Amino acid sequence: MSAVEHRYELRSRTERYRGRIFEVVSDEVTMPGGGTAVRDHVRHVGAVAVVALDDAGQVVLIRQYRHAVGRHLWELPAGLMDVTGEDPAVTAGRELAEEADLSAGRLDVLVDLHSSPGFTNELVRVFLARDLADVPADQRHDRREEEADLQVVRIDLDEAVGMVLNGEITNASAVAGLLAAARARDVGWSALRRADAPLPR
């Protein structure tokens, strides 16, 4: 599908805040019809999430406290793409091991999403992990801070989709990943992309 698009050119950028995960900037951008406007936004390192599906058709969900919303949320194993040059599939494997004590014999791409493009460029790649195995007890990650409070469960994929549809799961990457996984399963996994598919940047 093609469309005629105006070229929004960056005229200037002012950094307002810089942290480990994101920075906040104000950009002056050209507008259609002439003139410019200032757009504040969050520049984010990006993230991965993993729908880990076992041989019984169950997926791994994590319940984790999120301070920004002030409560625990059901989520997928996930983490930041904050290691320069690291392949997103490697990041996904590490996060799956750290948060769910699992390794995957197979990774495929389910879906890519811009989590909230009205104010951030955050891109999340959601993988499907299969052929799961337990990480040996002596090699497991030592969880700290909020991660020390993680609750890890396995439930049927269709039950997880039901949790999305009734509002129990609201985390954006979990919603997208679980719905994509159910759809991919229903079409015989033909919609999956290779784990090394290019990111849509």
Side-chain angles (χ1 to χ4, degrees), residues 87-141:
D87 187 289
V90 173
T91 308
R94 184 179 66 251
E95 295 298 337
L96 182 62
E98 290 182 0
E99 296 194 349
D101 300 323
L102 292 170
S103 63
R106 178 169 183 176
L107 279 177
D108 297 284
V109 175
L110 274 171
V111 68
D112 296 311
L113 63 119
H114 287 101
S115 58
S116 190
F119 79 93
T120 180
N121 70 341
E122 182 187 29
L123 176 67
V124 183
R125 167 153 283 183
V126 185
F127 289 90
L128 175 68
R130 290 177 286 176
D131 301 335
L132 304 178
D134 292 328
V135 172
D138 63 344
Q139 297 176 24
R140 292 182 180 175
H141 179 67

Side-chain angles (χ1 to χ4, degrees), residues 133-151:
D134 292 328
V135 172
D138 63 344
Q139 297 176 24
R140 292 182 180 175
H141 179 67
D142 182 23
R143 299 187 186 111
R144 301 176 183 275
E145 299 178 345
E146 290 95 342
E147 288 186 349
D149 187 40
L150 287 183
Q151 178 186 354

